[in-house]
Amino acid sequence: MNATMISRTAVRRMLLGGMAVAIVFVTADARQFRYLQPIATPSTRSAALPAGATPVEPIVALSRDQVEPALTRVIESWNSQALGEQLGDGFYDKSRLLDAIDTTAPRDASLRLQSIQGVQTLQQYLEPDPVTEGSTRLVSRVSVTARTQLEFTAGDGSFTRRPGVNEFILRITHPEQ
């Protein structure tokens, strides 16, 4: 009887010890799946500036009234099939976007701006003005969240509306003041 009690106690201790070791290994393995993602700071804003540009600190936020004409020009160019002229040289895969719009959007589709929900100035810098020698211009990268609506005539002849919320990243330039 004593021998069975000792063996039960020994077995319990071994099980508890084994569970403790297993918990340590499971905790150690779980830790390797957690990665720290650094939060962007103001020092990283100026990392991708063009040659000769100097960052503006602090950033002066552009108002909705300053951004709306630029967004309206982009939407009007989409409606007139001249979007390629509004897209910058650094726009990633510009020709692929234009081809996708040309093949998937109905020919009579028009894009309407319904409202601007938010405007955030992401980056500002001064760069030499290529037109006027010796002067600079202020360049602002702005994120605009806008409610838009795509309107077109469907295949069955019915008028169709497709509302959506889109984010536009605009580069707005104006002479330095």
Side-chain angles (χ1 to χ4, degrees):
M1 191 174 214
N2 252 350
T4 40
M5 289 183 75
I6 293 173
S7 65
R8 283 185 186 171
T9 306
V11 169
R12 286 183 189 159
R13 286 183 184 163
M14 288 191 314
L15 285 175
L16 288 175
M19 287 176 24
V21 169
I23 289 172
V24 169
F25 283 125
V26 169
T27 305
D29 285 341
R31 246 183 296 183
Q32 62 181 285
F33 292 109
R34 297 181 185 151
Y35 296 104
L36 292 176
Q37 297 295 330
I39 297 173
T41 60
S43 62
T44 60
R45 285 187 193 159
S46 61
L49 294 179
T54 56
V56 174
E57 295 291 339
I59 290 177
V60 179
L62 296 182
S63 69
R64 184 178 302 234
D65 294 334
Q66 292 172 303
V67 172
E68 189 172 2
L71 182 59
T72 302
R73 277 194 307 275
V74 170
I75 289 175
E76 286 173 356
S77 68
W78 192 92
N79 291 335
S80 64
Q81 280 78 34
L83 183 61
E85 298 169 12
Q86 291 293 319
L87 299 177
D89 295 333
F91 192 90
Y92 179 75
D93 228 350
K94 179 178 174 178
S95 61
R96 186 174 174 191
L97 171 68
L98 297 174
D99 289 342
I101 291 172
D102 191 39
T103 57
T104 58
R107 296 282 177 213
D108 68 335
S110 62
L111 188 63
R112 303 277 179 241
L113 176 64
Q114 292 182 319
S115 67
I116 294 177
Q117 292 182 331
V119 175
Q120 181 181 10
T121 305
L122 304 173
Q123 182 183 46
Q124 281 183 330
Y125 55 90
L126 294 171
E127 71 177 4
D129 192 345
V131 177
T132 309
E133 184 68 31
S135 65
T136 58
R137 63 183 183 179
L138 179 66
V139 179
S140 303
R141 282 188 59 236
V142 182
S143 168
V144 182
T145 305
R147 291 185 59 81
T148 58
Q149 181 169 280
L150 188 64
E151 301 172 346
F152 59 94
T153 305
D156 62 356
S158 63
F159 181 71
T160 305
R161 296 182 187 136
R162 300 279 187 224
V165 177
N166 299 293
E167 179 184 21
F168 296 87
I169 305 292
L170 304 176
R171 190 179 72 181
I172 300 173
T173 60
H174 44 278
E176 182 190 11
Q177 297 173 350

